[in-house]
């Protein structure tokens, strides 16, 4: 039986962005079909199978779909066939599955799109393997040694 990883989504007028939260994923397979079908499958760290499929709101350019695997997640950029803002991610008007959530960190309103710079592009390589800031010193603040500072 396969499981569904958490999937965050955001959009621009020309693209939809999906971030699949699956650390250290193996055998990642993403398939995009022009009528708006998106399918994903991968293996988790312990060999567990993850799989899901989405019927997107509108048609897409299959060749315009790009995927980047990082240490903590898989980033998918999906090119829309026609520029424009979708009312929702999925074609169905039903409530989306609980594993689908809005990516508020990458969300951009229609009015804000022109002001978003190209440097903040989701396709930028800096997102690949981006660390979420966690470390072995979780919650520890770095403070200089005050005795040495007094001198």
């Amino acid at each position: 039986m396969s499981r569904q990883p958490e999937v965050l989504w955001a959009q621009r007028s020309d693209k939809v962005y999906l971030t699949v939260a699956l650390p250290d994923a193996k055998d990642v397979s993403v398939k995009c079909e022009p009528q708006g079908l998106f399918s994903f499958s991968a293996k988790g760290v312990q060999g567990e199978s993850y799989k899901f499929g989405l019927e997107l709101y509108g048609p897409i350019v299959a060749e315009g779909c790009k995927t980047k695997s990082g240490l903590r997640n898989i980033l998918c950029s999906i090119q829309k066939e026609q520029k424009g803002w979708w009312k929702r991610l999925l074609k169905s008007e039903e409530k989306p599955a609980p594993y689908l959530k809005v990516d508020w960190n990458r969300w951009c309103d229609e009015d804000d799109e022109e002001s978003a710079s190209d440097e903040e592009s989701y396709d930028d390589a800096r997102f690949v393997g981006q660390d979420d800031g966690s470390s072995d010193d979780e919650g520890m603040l770095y403070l200089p040694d005050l005795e040495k500072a007094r001198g």
Side-chain angles (χ1 to χ4, degrees):
M1 188 174 129
S2 64
R3 306 155 92 176
Q4 288 90 20
E6 181 179 68
V7 180
L8 301 176
W9 78 280
Q11 72 171 317
R12 300 288 184 272
S13 62
D14 60 337
K15 293 184 181 180
V16 171
Y17 303 111
L18 299 177
T19 303
V20 182
L22 194 57
D24 299 319
K26 296 173 180 61
D27 303 329
V28 175
S29 172
V30 172
K31 187 175 179 187
C32 294
E33 296 180 30
Q35 64 270 33
L37 296 178
F38 175 89
S39 57
F40 173 92
S41 66
K43 297 257 188 235
V45 178
Q46 297 165 343
E48 63 274 35
S49 180
Y50 289 88
K51 186 184 271 189
F52 68 90
L54 303 173
E55 187 175 2
L56 300 174
Y57 184 78
I60 58 176
V61 178
E63 307 82 44
C65 295
K66 297 177 183 159
T67 304
K68 294 180 183 176
S69 294
L71 297 174
R72 300 185 188 282
N73 49 39
I74 296 100
L75 307 171
C76 303
S77 169
I78 304 166
Q79 187 176 342
K80 296 177 182 177
E81 187 178 273
Q82 296 181 337
K83 256 189 158 187
W85 290 82
W86 291 353
K87 291 190 269 185
R88 57 187 172 273
L89 176 64
L90 304 177
K91 185 174 264 185
S92 169
E93 291 187 36
E94 296 173 16
K95 186 177 179 184
Y99 65 88
L100 277 175
K101 298 176 182 166
V102 173
D103 188 347
W104 294 114
N105 292 328
R106 289 188 173 80
W107 192 262
C108 180
D109 290 326
E110 289 179 60
D111 302 341
D112 299 336
E113 185 176 32
E114 289 93 36
S115 64
S117 77
D118 290 345
E119 291 174 26
E120 296 172 347
S121 172
Y122 186 88
D123 294 328
D124 198 309
R126 65 192 157 127
F127 289 112
V128 175
Q130 183 179 28
D131 193 353
D132 66 359
S134 64
S135 71
D136 292 340
D137 299 328
E138 193 71 40
M140 298 292 288
L141 260 174
Y142 170 76
L143 296 174
D145 187 347
L146 292 177
E147 293 302 315
K148 288 181 184 174
R150 287 187 194 144

